[in-house]
Amino acid sequence: MISAPVALLRRAGGRLLLRRAGLSRTSWARRSIQLRAALAMATGGKGSQSSTARPTNRLIYEKSPYLLQHAHNPVDWYPWGQEAFDKAKREDKLIFLSVGYSTCHWCHVMEQESFQNEEIGQILNDNFVCIKVDREERPDVDKVYMAFVQATSSGGGWPMSVWLTPDLKPFVGGTYFPPEDGIYQVGFRTVLLRILEQWKRNKTSLMENSQKILSALLARTDVGARGEEAPPSSKEVMSRCFQQLSESYDEEYGGFSESPKFPTPVNLNFLFSYWALHRSTTEGARALQMALHTLKMMAYGGVHDHIAQISGDEFFADIVADILLYVSRDLSDGSGGFYSAEDADSYPTVQSTEKQEGAFCVWTAEEIRWNLPDPIEGIPEEKTMADVFMHHYGVKEDGNVNPMKDPHNELKGKNVLIVQYSLELTAARFGLQLEQLKTLLAKGKEKLSKARGLRPRPHLDTKMLASWNGLMISGFAQSGAILGKREYTDRAVRAASFLRHHMFSAVTGKLLRSCYRGQGNAVEKSSIHGFLEDYVFVIQALFDLYEASLDPNWLEWAVQLQHKQDELFWDPKGFAYFSTEAGDPSLLLRMKDDQDGAEPCPNSIAVTNLLRAASYTGHKEWVKKAGQILAAFSERLLKIPVVLPEMARSAAAFHQTLKQVVICGDPAGEDTRELLHCYYSTYTPNRVLILADGDTKGFLYRHLGFLSSLEKKDGKATAYLCENFACSLPVTSSQELRRLLLP
């Protein structure tokens, strides 16, 4: 662990408290319809619905909904940029950097408690240069200072609070602070005054310490291969990753490690791949069981919205449909892009003056009884629809939220709907037929959905990110292909077209990071260029979209972006990709992410993207690059692969070589569709789909000369399994193709 200057702040409750600095106040007189319209785009946070005139700061000119949420704080916020940096140097003031995002509950809490506090605002304005950053808009800034916070304290999170010297070097930082001193934690006001005192008394020492901290961070974040180091053994990496996941698995509730748990698709993807490669072993069966149980418990629990969604017999397909329905209905822009998120906090009623966490989704027992009063006919006991619904979903009269998880008592007496019993057990408990119970629960959901429709909706962050749009395109494309739902594939195509039209420059070949819903629902672009994560997730999406739509234009764009990614981010000395482009003097570190989290590490996805790109083009340099990435992360993969499960999975793809499944035929023909359905519905990792449609002038035929030698057999659509461009004997039935696909 890197040591921060402990003399700055005393320990409270065993935790080192860390924070950072702000700026002087300026009088802002400008008020206009344009500014009020901008504010109307950001109604998040925990403030009241009052329309009383408030101060305005520079954030009013930003596009980020998170920054706009703070545009009327008494704190004189600056966006991240040269104006703030110059002021800090000119006035020799510390910088207070506050990083968060618009749908973050604790960010709202700190804003209400501290950033809306006039006295604290005055301390900040008089003594610090205050900078506010949307971590989703500027992940580069967030990652640099989060690395510092995690290295110098017991953890990290948002809101992130960091104090910097005028030359942007961090020296103390943390996350949420209450406004005043408490039993276990020093208050924000006290932290500010202590830091200010130390800056006045020990400026030279602080500057020296900040340089030492930066040097230590540089060493800590250095990821790279030494010489021509070979990639690690995939067998060893996969085995150790499975073992480490198995040891942390929660047998009762699913997921990994202790609460709080976050959905981590990388773990589930790894387990499915491990099962596919070890189908006949005990370990393979264990991997499948862990993944499926985790998914089922997430679907039964409060993280899945049980109201206003569809239901049916195909459990996992129904959950997919639920999610995609929500995204299509509530997170979609008319231009085709996907918005970022809805807030955790909202007004409980239209009369409410304060937002509460989870207000839109939770229920009191009284509310459910009021909305579901209908008696159930034909059963021994006198019961209502509410009785059955409350039993099935674990609703309690005094609420089912643990008070220890509700520090502000916002959820007291409220219930999160969680499936407590199987349909069979609930039906037996009330003497109902299974179909009768399903109908009853569906009617109950419909009625509660109408009741919830009267509540104020949570704030919607209408920022559209290239990376997250890429992930969502992959989800729609894969779902469309596997479930045979053309509407899902079409939605993915619309989103990809949106990216190409609004977030890509044909002149520079670069992606943009973000754009926003502007006035009149117009799309407003940002000036922030894409980061590595934007490129890898969009490239992955385009490969997935090709497999679902069979349109080679998406392949061609993916390959174009892969070349641009190499140009902008590749490290020719230590190998692997940097997270950011070179040349930004405000970034102290040019980092390489070394951990898969809620989102995969970009380098993890890059390995598979490179292998897929090579399979579609024959460009062997990309296979070499994939191996060099694995070599760069070799030490971490061999010791703690559980922090890089997606990269562990891609290591198997590298060592086993991607299989090219070539289908020769007319994509509209029934025989071709049968083979495609077999490909989509048979889960095997480490493969790519190629449709050889006979267009010798098309993208694939231009790059893969061997396709010209493959043809239909007996006039029927025909499949080949190829490896390193050497192909199997042709097969024409789905049964034969499935035998080829399965190991």
Side-chain angles (χ1 to χ4, degrees), residues 242-253:
F242 170 74
Q243 179 185 6
Q244 291 173 348
L245 279 174
S246 186
E247 289 170 352
S248 66
Y249 176 66
D250 184 336
E251 298 283 354
E252 183 176 4
Y253 295 107

PDB file of all heavy atoms in Angstrom, residues 242-253:
ATOM      1  N   PHE A 242     -10.918 -21.104 -12.013  1.00  0.00           N
ATOM      2  CA  PHE A 242     -12.087 -21.866 -11.580  1.00  0.00           C
ATOM      3  C   PHE A 242     -12.013 -22.181 -10.089  1.00  0.00           C
ATOM      4  O   PHE A 242     -12.998 -22.035  -9.358  1.00  0.00           O
ATOM      5  CB  PHE A 242     -12.202 -23.171 -12.370  1.00  0.00           C
ATOM      6  CG  PHE A 242     -13.226 -24.114 -11.815  1.00  0.00           C
ATOM      7  CD1 PHE A 242     -14.576 -23.862 -11.983  1.00  0.00           C
ATOM      8  CD2 PHE A 242     -12.844 -25.233 -11.079  1.00  0.00           C
ATOM      9  CE1 PHE A 242     -15.535 -24.719 -11.451  1.00  0.00           C
ATOM     10  CE2 PHE A 242     -13.791 -26.090 -10.547  1.00  0.00           C
ATOM     11  CZ  PHE A 242     -15.142 -25.831 -10.728  1.00  0.00           C
ATOM     12  N   GLN A 243     -10.850 -22.571  -9.631  1.00  0.00           N
ATOM     13  CA  GLN A 243     -10.674 -22.900  -8.216  1.00  0.00           C
ATOM     14  C   GLN A 243     -10.950 -21.680  -7.337  1.00  0.00           C
ATOM     15  O   GLN A 243     -11.639 -21.770  -6.317  1.00  0.00           O
ATOM     16  CB  GLN A 243      -9.257 -23.409  -7.970  1.00  0.00           C
ATOM     17  CG  GLN A 243      -8.974 -23.762  -6.516  1.00  0.00           C
ATOM     18  CD  GLN A 243      -7.522 -24.160  -6.293  1.00  0.00           C
ATOM     19  OE1 GLN A 243      -6.697 -24.070  -7.201  1.00  0.00           O
ATOM     20  NE2 GLN A 243      -7.213 -24.595  -5.091  1.00  0.00           N
ATOM     21  N   GLN A 244     -10.427 -20.518  -7.735  1.00  0.00           N
ATOM     22  CA  GLN A 244     -10.603 -19.313  -6.936  1.00  0.00           C
ATOM     23  C   GLN A 244     -12.058 -18.849  -6.941  1.00  0.00           C
ATOM     24  O   GLN A 244     -12.578 -18.391  -5.918  1.00  0.00           O
ATOM     25  CB  GLN A 244      -9.668 -18.211  -7.440  1.00  0.00           C
ATOM     26  CG  GLN A 244      -8.200 -18.521  -7.167  1.00  0.00           C
ATOM     27  CD  GLN A 244      -7.247 -17.517  -7.809  1.00  0.00           C
ATOM     28  OE1 GLN A 244      -7.643 -16.700  -8.638  1.00  0.00           O
ATOM     29  NE2 GLN A 244      -5.978 -17.597  -7.440  1.00  0.00           N
ATOM     30  N   LEU A 245     -12.733 -18.969  -8.074  1.00  0.00           N
ATOM     31  CA  LEU A 245     -14.155 -18.632  -8.108  1.00  0.00           C
ATOM     32  C   LEU A 245     -14.966 -19.594  -7.246  1.00  0.00           C
ATOM     33  O   LEU A 245     -15.878 -19.186  -6.513  1.00  0.00           O
ATOM     34  CB  LEU A 245     -14.676 -18.663  -9.543  1.00  0.00           C
ATOM     35  CG  LEU A 245     -14.412 -17.444 -10.418  1.00  0.00           C
ATOM     36  CD1 LEU A 245     -14.869 -17.708 -11.840  1.00  0.00           C
ATOM     37  CD2 LEU A 245     -15.115 -16.208  -9.866  1.00  0.00           C
ATOM     38  N   SER A 246     -14.636 -20.865  -7.317  1.00  0.00           N
ATOM     39  CA  SER A 246     -15.361 -21.876  -6.556  1.00  0.00           C
ATOM     40  C   SER A 246     -15.229 -21.639  -5.058  1.00  0.00           C
ATOM     41  O   SER A 246     -16.189 -21.810  -4.298  1.00  0.00           O
ATOM     42  CB  SER A 246     -14.841 -23.275  -6.917  1.00  0.00           C
ATOM     43  OG  SER A 246     -15.620 -24.279  -6.297  1.00  0.00           O
ATOM     44  N   GLU A 247     -14.053 -21.216  -4.622  1.00  0.00           N
ATOM     45  CA  GLU A 247     -13.812 -20.978  -3.198  1.00  0.00           C
ATOM     46  C   GLU A 247     -14.609 -19.788  -2.674  1.00  0.00           C
ATOM     47  O   GLU A 247     -14.957 -19.746  -1.490  1.00  0.00           O
ATOM     48  CB  GLU A 247     -12.318 -20.758  -2.952  1.00  0.00           C
ATOM     49  CG  GLU A 247     -11.485 -22.021  -3.115  1.00  0.00           C
ATOM     50  CD  GLU A 247      -9.992 -21.736  -3.096  1.00  0.00           C
ATOM     51  OE1 GLU A 247      -9.620 -20.533  -3.106  1.00  0.00           O
ATOM     52  OE2 GLU A 247      -9.199 -22.695  -3.090  1.00  0.00           O
ATOM     53  N   SER A 248     -14.886 -18.812  -3.536  1.00  0.00           N
ATOM     54  CA  SER A 248     -15.604 -17.610  -3.089  1.00  0.00           C
ATOM     55  C   SER A 248     -17.097 -17.671  -3.390  1.00  0.00           C
ATOM     56  O   SER A 248     -17.832 -16.724  -3.111  1.00  0.00           O
ATOM     57  CB  SER A 248     -15.002 -16.365  -3.765  1.00  0.00           C
ATOM     58  OG  SER A 248     -15.238 -16.389  -5.164  1.00  0.00           O
ATOM     59  N   TYR A 249     -17.566 -18.790  -3.919  1.00  0.00           N
ATOM     60  CA  TYR A 249     -18.958 -18.915  -4.350  1.00  0.00           C
ATOM     61  C   TYR A 249     -19.905 -18.997  -3.157  1.00  0.00           C
ATOM     62  O   TYR A 249     -19.630 -19.670  -2.164  1.00  0.00           O
ATOM     63  CB  TYR A 249     -19.109 -20.157  -5.227  1.00  0.00           C
ATOM     64  CG  TYR A 249     -20.509 -20.457  -5.667  1.00  0.00           C
ATOM     65  CD1 TYR A 249     -21.187 -19.604  -6.520  1.00  0.00           C
ATOM     66  CD2 TYR A 249     -21.165 -21.608  -5.224  1.00  0.00           C
ATOM     67  CE1 TYR A 249     -22.480 -19.878  -6.937  1.00  0.00           C
ATOM     68  CE2 TYR A 249     -22.455 -21.900  -5.643  1.00  0.00           C
ATOM     69  CZ  TYR A 249     -23.103 -21.031  -6.492  1.00  0.00           C
ATOM     70  OH  TYR A 249     -24.379 -21.310  -6.906  1.00  0.00           O
ATOM     71  N   ASP A 250     -21.026 -18.307  -3.231  1.00  0.00           N
ATOM     72  CA  ASP A 250     -22.067 -18.323  -2.211  1.00  0.00           C
ATOM     73  C   ASP A 250     -23.077 -19.407  -2.579  1.00  0.00           C
ATOM     74  O   ASP A 250     -23.876 -19.242  -3.498  1.00  0.00           O
ATOM     75  CB  ASP A 250     -22.744 -16.956  -2.147  1.00  0.00           C
ATOM     76  CG  ASP A 250     -23.791 -16.854  -1.041  1.00  0.00           C
ATOM     77  OD1 ASP A 250     -24.336 -17.889  -0.626  1.00  0.00           O
ATOM     78  OD2 ASP A 250     -24.073 -15.726  -0.601  1.00  0.00           O
ATOM     79  N   GLU A 251     -23.030 -20.525  -1.846  1.00  0.00           N
ATOM     80  CA  GLU A 251     -23.865 -21.673  -2.188  1.00  0.00           C
ATOM     81  C   GLU A 251     -25.354 -21.375  -2.049  1.00  0.00           C
ATOM     82  O   GLU A 251     -26.167 -21.906  -2.802  1.00  0.00           O
ATOM     83  CB  GLU A 251     -23.506 -22.862  -1.281  1.00  0.00           C
ATOM     84  CG  GLU A 251     -22.078 -23.348  -1.417  1.00  0.00           C
ATOM     85  CD  GLU A 251     -21.862 -24.181  -2.672  1.00  0.00           C
ATOM     86  OE1 GLU A 251     -22.859 -24.473  -3.372  1.00  0.00           O
ATOM     87  OE2 GLU A 251     -20.705 -24.541  -2.945  1.00  0.00           O
ATOM     88  N   GLU A 252     -25.717 -20.507  -1.105  1.00  0.00           N
ATOM     89  CA  GLU A 252     -27.138 -20.257  -0.855  1.00  0.00           C
ATOM     90  C   GLU A 252     -27.734 -19.261  -1.832  1.00  0.00           C
ATOM     91  O   GLU A 252     -28.759 -19.525  -2.470  1.00  0.00           O
ATOM     92  CB  GLU A 252     -27.335 -19.754   0.575  1.00  0.00           C
ATOM     93  CG  GLU A 252     -28.794 -19.531   0.936  1.00  0.00           C
ATOM     94  CD  GLU A 252     -28.994 -19.131   2.383  1.00  0.00           C
ATOM     95  OE1 GLU A 252     -27.982 -18.953   3.100  1.00  0.00           O
ATOM     96  OE2 GLU A 252     -30.167 -19.001   2.797  1.00  0.00           O
ATOM     97  N   TYR A 253     -27.099 -18.085  -1.959  1.00  0.00           N
ATOM     98  CA  TYR A 253     -27.682 -17.009  -2.749  1.00  0.00           C
ATOM     99  C   TYR A 253     -27.023 -16.819  -4.119  1.00  0.00           C
ATOM    100  O   TYR A 253     -27.457 -15.977  -4.897  1.00  0.00           O
ATOM    101  CB  TYR A 253     -27.598 -15.689  -1.978  1.00  0.00           C
ATOM    102  CG  TYR A 253     -28.428 -15.683  -0.724  1.00  0.00           C
ATOM    103  CD1 TYR A 253     -27.831 -15.762   0.525  1.00  0.00           C
ATOM    104  CD2 TYR A 253     -29.812 -15.624  -0.789  1.00  0.00           C
ATOM    105  CE1 TYR A 253     -28.603 -15.764   1.694  1.00  0.00           C
ATOM    106  CE2 TYR A 253     -30.596 -15.633   0.362  1.00  0.00           C
ATOM    107  CZ  TYR A 253     -29.977 -15.704   1.605  1.00  0.00           C
ATOM    108  OH  TYR A 253     -30.740 -15.700   2.736  1.00  0.00           O
TER     109      TYR A 253
END
